[in-house]
């Protein structure tokens, strides 16, 4: 395999507290050397002057839709979208058809990823058989096959006793339980955040309490079981407060936030554009402020996309009838850089939220540029102006509310295992 | 002055001037319905489609009569007899209707925002005839028209809207319209039927009907549809009537010349007693009469008609 020499970039590796202009030599798919003015005659040079060189970004929550809904996304197209967005690794949710609740489905996903995927794919297994919330899935066997976490994805693990058992059982395999926190009775037929705008628009609301009650329950069960809990797509002020409390109790609890939940509010729904419909829904300004504070003070650990591809015609219906979810792999990095541009967090903290933090939660050997580490890297240009155009996306789907947005900064080179898989506008 | 918009999707986006323009134009049209020959040639050659995805007697008939009195060609499509039963989407239905060049599509739909979806696709003007719990603009306009007939002006009036505010598009449209025109709007109903943060729309919330009626000039009763809802909102219709039902005794707290309104259809003995519905304060049938004039005005103005030309 060809050697690569990434020269003169600003290397930011939060895991090693590193922020310096350095060169990186990559050999055999690993970081061989990090230092000043490195030379290697055999290596292909990447001039990273003016760029940030970061460990490869990890999206710990996405939907690749394969098997089952290849009309919306495939492992191949999802991986291309990930690479184009600056991600070198994705963790894919088990709500496929059939769901990833068995060894054979996990094997299929890993096989497709190895053959067709240009980034690393880490499958998340179902916590319960068929995602039905009735019996635990064969988590031991799934772990052996290669899953990095369990989750029932869009289905909260509803039965408290079963959630308790999931937290206990996964402890044997050192796997986190990722839960979509939602009290389904409280959210009822809701399609947007319950608040002033749901009242104005006459749309059924999902109260913040629907999320917070489940966050609280899960925290209490984590204390009981000493398990590892990861809260998916946190969206409310109350959830951030609960999480803060839980972390003060030194429980093994982490949380992720999506770019849309820290960027948009429920006011966006006024257009009845179904690309503003996701679950959890876009929340109030007060919630977004609390989320930003949680990102700032470290309460929230990771940024994840919840990339949820849907066909255009499925979304082009009455608001209440549209499926929940938007795609995010190709917009997450520019939106997260918005946090840096607005002074909410430092670039180093932002990189940590995409790299070492998700890697630590999922316990995957990624997320750092230490010598010897797998050479997954994301190169960022912070000053480039970007206009989001869904028609240029690598994803098979187009359901993004950010079409036409003008942002500053993006990922321009994506390196996976020492190989450049994406550079500016084309795949090598 | 013409109405400078393609669609009528709600009251919320309308200015006070636009509301007054519609009400004044309706006043001029009201006379047409009292003639021996109830027809003017104003919209001759225009095609109007009444696209109703929910049952309706009053609104659909009212639009149909309004269109016919303006000489437009108007046809009715109801969901049960359309391709919707074959699984056609709203967008496809709209595109197919659009291909036949209608001038106006009037839509009623159970989903909030359905008319907006249609308006984005169609060249034709779209009129919202009720979308979910969102808006029912022509109902609010005919209500305002009726109030003005009895009270001369809306500014300063105390109006109580009673019942299931949460699921009511009539309540929302009326709240927007009446607050824009300067009325004091009170809403009252069981706490489970009051939407969150409704105060931000400029209304006062009451949970006791007597307090809401105190010194009231106008009382609007809303229909209760417990049979179609999750039963958690209300223990029983009996308890609802005991707490919020309109009876002549309760009206004593209102002003002496209070008017009683209801968008229909009535649930006698649920939200309103027959004595109140058929009594001297009721203007419920006058609302229906005025509905035709208001809808004539809306159709006329959306087709580019000018107020001055109706008056002359």
């Amino acid at each position: 395999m060809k050697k690569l020499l990434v020269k003169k970039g600003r290397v930011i590796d939060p895991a090693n507290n590193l922020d310096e202009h350095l060169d990186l030599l990559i050999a055999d798919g690993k970081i061989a050397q990090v230092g000043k003015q490195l030379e290697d005659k055999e290596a292909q040079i990447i001039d990273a002057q003016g760029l940030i060189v970061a460990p490869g970004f990890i999206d710990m929550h996405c939907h690749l839709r394969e098997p089952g809904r290849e009309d919306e996304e495939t492992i191949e197209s999802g991986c291309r979208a990930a690479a184009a967005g600056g991600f070198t690794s994705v963790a894919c949710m088990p709500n496929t058809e059939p769901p990833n609740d068995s060894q054979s489905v996990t094997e299929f996903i890993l096989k497709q990823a190895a053959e067709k995927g240009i980034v690393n794919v880490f499958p998340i297994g179902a916590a319960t058989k068929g995602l039905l919330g009735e019996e635990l899935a064969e988590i031991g066997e799934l772990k052996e096959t290669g899953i990095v976490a369990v989750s029932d994805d869009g289905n909260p693990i509803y039965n408290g006793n079963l959630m308790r058992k999931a937290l206990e059982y996964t402890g044997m395999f050192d796997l986190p339980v990722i839960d979509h926190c939602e009290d389904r009775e409280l959210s009822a037929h809701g399609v947007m955040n319950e608040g002033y705008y749901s009242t104005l628009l006459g749309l059924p609301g999902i109260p913040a309490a629907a999320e917070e009650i489940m966050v609280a329950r899960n925290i209490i069960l984590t204390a009981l079981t000493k398990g590892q809990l990861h809260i998916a797509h946190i969206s409310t002020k109350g959830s951030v407060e609960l999480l803060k409390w839980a972390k003060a109790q030194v429980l093994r609890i982490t949380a992720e936030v999506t770019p849309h939940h820290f960027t948009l509010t429920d006011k966006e729904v006024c257009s009845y554009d179904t690309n503003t419909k996701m679950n959890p829904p876009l929340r109030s300004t007060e919630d977004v402020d609390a989320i930003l504070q949680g990102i700032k003070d470290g309460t929230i650990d990771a940024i994840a996309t919840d990339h949820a591809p849907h066909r255009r015609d499925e979304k082009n219906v009455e608001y209440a009838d549209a499926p929940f979810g938007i795609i995010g792999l190709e917009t997450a990095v520019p939106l997260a850089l918005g946090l840096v541009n607005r002074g909410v967090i430092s670039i180093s903290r932002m990189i940590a939220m995409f790299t070492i933090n998700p890697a630590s939660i999922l316990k995957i050997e990624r997320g750092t540029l230490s010598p010897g580490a797998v050479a997954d890297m994301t190169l960022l240009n912070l000053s480039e102006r970007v206009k989001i155009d869904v028609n240029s996306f690598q994803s098979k789907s187009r359901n993004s509310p950010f079409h036409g947005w003008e942002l500053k900064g993006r990922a321009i080179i994506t390196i996976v295992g020492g190989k450049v898989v994406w550079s500016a506008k084309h795949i090598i | 002055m013409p109405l400078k918009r393609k669609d009528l999707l709600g009251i919320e986006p309308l200015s006070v001037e636009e509301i007054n323009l519609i009400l004044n134009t309706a006043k001029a049209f009201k006379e047409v319905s009292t003639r021996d020959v109830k027809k003017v040639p104003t919209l001759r050659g225009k095609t109007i489609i009444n696209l109703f995805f929910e049952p309706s007697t009053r609104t659909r008939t009212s639009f149909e009569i309004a269109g016919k009195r303006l000489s437009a060609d108007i046809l009715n499509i109801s969901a049960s007899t359309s391709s919707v039963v074959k699984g056609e989407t709203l967008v496809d239905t709209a595109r197919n209707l659009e291909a036949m060049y209608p001038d106006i599509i009037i839509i009623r739909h159970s989903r909030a925002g359905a008319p907006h979806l249609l308006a984005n696709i169609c060249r034709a003007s779209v009129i919202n005839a009720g979308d979910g719990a969102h808006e029912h603009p022509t109902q609010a306009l005919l209500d305002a028209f009726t109030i003005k007939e009895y009270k001369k002006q809306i500014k300063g009036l105390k109006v109580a809207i009673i019942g299931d505010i949460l699921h009511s598009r009539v309540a929302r449209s009326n709240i927007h319209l009446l607050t824009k025109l300067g009325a004091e709007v009170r809403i009252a109903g069981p706490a489970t039927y009051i939407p969150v943060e409704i105060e931000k729309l400029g209304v006062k919330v009451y949970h006791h009907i007597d307090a809401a009626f105190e010194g009231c000039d106008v009382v609007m009763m809303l229909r209760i549809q417990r049979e179609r809802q999750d039963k958690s909102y209300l223990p029983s219709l009996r308890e609802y009537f005991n707490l919020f039902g309109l009876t002549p005794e309760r009206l004593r707290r209102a002003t002496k010349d209070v008017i009683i309104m209801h968008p229909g259809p009535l649930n006698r003995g649920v939200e309103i007693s027959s004595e109140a519905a058929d009594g001297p304060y009721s203007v419920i049938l006058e609302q229906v009469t005025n509905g035709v004039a208001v809808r004539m005005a809306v159709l006329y103005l959306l087709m580019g008609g000018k107020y001055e030309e109706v008056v002359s």
Side-chain angles (χ1 to χ4, degrees):
Chain A
M1 188 183 246
K2 227 179 186 175
K3 286 184 188 176
L4 269 185
L5 184 55
V6 181
K7 285 190 76 81
K8 295 181 182 166
R10 179 179 161 198
V11 178
I12 301 181
D13 182 14
N16 290 313
N17 257 324
L18 188 68
D19 184 352
E20 254 185 274
H21 283 84
L22 293 167
D23 298 345
L24 281 126
L25 181 67
I26 298 160
D28 301 323
K30 300 238 161 83
I31 310 279
Q33 228 183 322
V34 183
K36 286 196 187 293
Q37 289 162 359
L38 300 182
E39 297 291 341
D40 191 302
K41 280 181 187 138
E42 298 161 31
Q44 180 195 337
I45 308 278
I46 293 178
D47 180 6
Q49 202 159 8
L51 304 180
I52 304 270
V53 179
F57 283 14
I58 300 159
D59 180 15
M60 66 181 299
H61 186 155
C62 73
H63 302 268
L64 299 180
R65 300 287 189 236
E66 191 181 351
R69 288 305 305 270
E70 294 82 356
D71 55 331
E72 295 179 327
E73 197 80 281
T74 60
I75 289 169
E76 183 183 11
S77 65
C79 284
R80 253 194 346 260
F87 292 98
T88 57
S89 296
V90 294
C92 56
M93 279 292 176
N95 67 331
T96 45
E97 293 169 22
N100 183 14
D101 64 352
S102 69
Q103 199 171 23
S104 59
V105 178
T106 306
E107 276 169 356
F108 170 80
I109 292 168
L110 288 170
K111 181 171 164 281
Q112 288 294 90
E115 286 172 10
K116 296 173 182 167
I118 58 172
V119 303
N120 307 299
V121 175
F122 294 100
I124 296 168
T128 71
K129 291 192 184 99
L131 307 172
L132 296 174
E134 288 162 5
E135 302 172 72
L136 291 178
E138 291 168 334
I139 295 169
E141 198 170 88
L142 288 170
K143 160 82 180 187
E144 217 170 89
T145 318
I147 64 160
V148 293
V150 299
S151 178
D152 275 359
D153 184 52
N155 301 336
I157 300 173
Y158 219 65
N159 177 327
N161 184 35
L162 192 63
M163 183 64 176
R164 173 195 178 157
K165 300 290 194 288
L167 284 162
E168 287 171 343
Y169 196 77
T170 48
M172 297 193 298
F173 312 105
D174 206 17
L175 288 170
V177 178
I178 303 176
D179 202 37
H180 167 112
C181 300
E182 179 185 353
D183 180 318
R184 285 276 164 89
E185 267 73 52
L186 272 173
S187 56
H189 306 292
V191 299
M192 70 173 291
N193 183 46
E194 181 179 295
Y196 170 70
Y197 289 103
S198 65
T199 291
L200 184 69
L201 297 171
L203 288 169
I206 302 173
E211 174 173 313
E212 291 156 3
I213 281 175
M214 285 302 244
V215 169
R217 182 204 73 169
N218 287 344
I219 289 170
I220 292 163
L221 290 175
T222 306
L224 175 68
T225 58
K226 309 283 178 271
Q228 188 195 344
L229 172 73
H230 178 74
I231 299 167
H233 42 51
I234 192 168
S235 76
T236 79
K237 185 183 176 193
S239 296
V240 176
E241 283 165 3
L242 287 164
L243 179 62
K244 201 164 186 170
W245 178 86
K247 287 193 161 185
Q249 315 307 305
V250 209
L251 297 173
R252 288 204 295 161
I253 296 181
T254 52
E256 74 197 22
V257 64
T258 70
H260 46 276
H261 286 116
F262 64 65
T263 307
L264 303 174
T265 66
D266 54 356
K267 193 179 177 198
E268 300 293 328
V269 183
C270 287
S271 60
Y272 288 106
D273 176 357
T274 56
N275 286 330
T276 63
K277 182 177 174 184
M278 61 286 283
N279 192 6
L282 297 174
R283 300 288 189 183
S284 71
T285 307
E286 205 187 352
D287 291 310
V288 174
D289 288 345
I291 292 283
L292 290 172
Q293 188 54 40
I295 291 172
K296 198 170 180 167
D297 66 20
T299 306
I300 298 170
D301 303 86
I303 299 172
T305 66
D306 194 7
H307 180 82
H310 289 294
R311 247 173 31 212
R312 211 186 276 259
D313 56 298
E314 291 176 312
K315 276 285 201 182
N316 198 10
V317 295
E318 297 86 321
Y319 198 89
D321 300 326
F324 289 104
I326 60 166
I327 51 174
L329 284 168
E330 291 167 86
T331 49
V333 171
L335 290 166
L337 285 171
L339 296 175
V340 179
N341 296 334
R342 282 152 60 199
V344 178
I345 46 170
S346 67
I347 178 75
S348 169
R349 164 103 183 108
M350 186 211 97
I351 290 170
M353 293 182 84
F354 275 120
T355 57
I356 189 62
N357 294 2
S360 311
I361 295 163
L362 301 175
K363 298 168 200 92
I364 54 177
E365 288 181 3
R366 291 292 192 286
T368 167
L369 296 173
S370 303
V374 176
D376 286 358
M377 295 158 72
T378 299
L379 274 59
L380 306 164
N381 181 343
L382 301 192
S383 56
E384 188 180 336
R385 299 265 164 197
V386 189
K387 188 167 179 184
I388 305 292
D389 176 6
V390 295
N391 299 311
S392 70
F393 282 178
Q394 297 300 311
S395 169
K396 283 184 91 166
S397 291
R398 299 285 175 263
N399 51 311
S400 168
F402 298 109
H403 180 66
W405 276 47
E406 291 186 27
L407 297 161
K408 199 177 123 190
R410 64 163 175 152
I412 64 160
I413 296 176
T414 308
I415 299 171
V416 176
K419 188 175 162 221
V420 176
V421 295
W422 181 267
S423 172
K425 285 189 174 108
H426 60 282
I427 298 176
I428 293 172
Chain B
M1 195 166 91
L3 190 64
K4 291 191 190 82
R5 49 176 76 234
K6 173 178 155 286
D7 313 297
L8 178 66
L9 301 178
I11 299 294
E12 198 220 343
L14 297 185
S15 66
V16 172
E17 292 71 31
E18 288 175 300
I19 292 166
N20 284 328
L21 172 66
I22 297 169
L23 296 179
N24 291 336
T25 309
K27 204 169 171 184
F29 274 122
K30 190 174 176 183
E31 181 268 331
V32 175
S33 297
T34 63
R35 291 182 195 168
D36 196 24
V37 176
K38 300 177 183 62
K39 212 172 180 94
V40 289
T42 321
L43 294 187
R44 198 161 54 197
K46 301 287 184 193
T47 305
I48 301 174
I49 297 175
N50 246 342
L51 182 59
F52 275 60
F53 292 91
E54 274 190 333
S56 163
T57 312
R58 249 159 309 276
T59 307
R60 206 197 68 196
T61 313
S62 182
F63 268 113
E64 188 173 351
I65 290 176
K68 286 184 168 158
R69 289 189 182 159
L70 291 170
S71 303
D73 297 310
I74 183 157
L75 56 128
N76 294 301
I77 301 173
S78 63
S80 55
T81 57
S82 73
S83 290
V84 173
V85 293
K86 299 179 188 165
E88 187 170 63
T89 65
L90 179 61
V91 169
D92 283 335
T93 302
R95 284 184 181 140
N96 280 279
L97 293 176
E98 182 75 358
M100 294 182 258
Y101 293 95
D103 298 286
I104 297 178
I105 299 175
I106 298 159
I107 176 173
R108 164 163 297 186
H109 200 286
S110 63
R111 301 302 200 197
H116 305 66
L117 184 60
L118 214 64
N120 286 338
I121 301 168
C122 295
R123 290 180 303 266
S125 287
V126 174
I127 298 175
N128 180 0
D131 63 327
H134 179 226
E135 284 230 43
H136 189 353
T138 55
Q139 178 70 42
L141 287 161
L142 74 89
D143 288 343
F145 186 90
T146 308
I147 296 172
K148 280 184 85 170
E149 276 194 335
Y150 286 90
K151 306 287 180 185
K152 304 299 172 235
Q153 64 164 11
I154 286 172
K155 194 172 179 178
L157 291 179
K158 294 183 174 68
V159 182
I161 305 176
I162 314 293
D164 178 358
I165 311 293
L166 181 65
H167 300 101
S168 176
R169 51 196 176 213
V170 174
R172 280 176 184 73
S173 286
N174 266 306
I175 289 168
H176 291 308
L177 195 153
L178 294 167
T179 54
K180 277 176 203 267
L181 294 190
E184 177 190 317
V185 181
R186 303 165 173 185
I187 61 166
T192 46
Y193 279 146
I194 306 295
V196 297
E197 300 190 43
I198 186 89
E199 299 84 354
K200 284 192 185 163
L201 295 180
V203 301
K204 284 190 200 163
V205 178
Y206 293 79
H207 295 301
H208 296 286
I209 194 171
D210 292 344
F213 279 175
E214 198 69 53
C216 232
D217 302 289
V218 179
V219 169
M220 287 185 181
M221 303 307 291
L222 300 175
R223 181 177 161 76
I224 296 296
Q225 302 185 76
R226 185 174 183 268
E227 71 284 358
R228 286 174 59 181
Q229 292 162 0
D230 161 4
K231 297 285 180 281
S232 63
Y233 291 102
L234 209 60
S236 68
L237 294 178
R238 181 175 164 274
E239 173 137 314
Y240 181 81
F241 186 75
N242 287 340
L243 293 172
F244 293 97
L246 181 63
T247 59
E249 298 73 51
R250 282 199 159 128
L251 266 186
R252 287 191 197 119
R253 293 182 178 263
T255 55
K256 286 201 178 87
D257 55 352
V258 66
I259 55 171
I260 301 170
M261 308 178 82
H262 193 297
L266 297 173
N267 282 316
R268 291 171 183 268
V270 177
E271 69 266 359
I272 190 163
S273 68
S274 282
E275 293 88 326
D278 307 327
Y281 303 107
S282 172
V283 301
I284 295 170
L285 294 176
E286 189 59 24
Q287 287 173 269
V288 179
T289 301
N290 291 335
V292 174
V294 162
R295 289 177 176 118
M296 285 171 80
V298 167
L299 294 173
Y300 170 74
L301 290 167
L302 283 177
M303 289 293 92
K306 295 192 178 75
Y307 169 66
E308 296 77 10
E309 289 168 13
V310 195
V311 178
S312 65

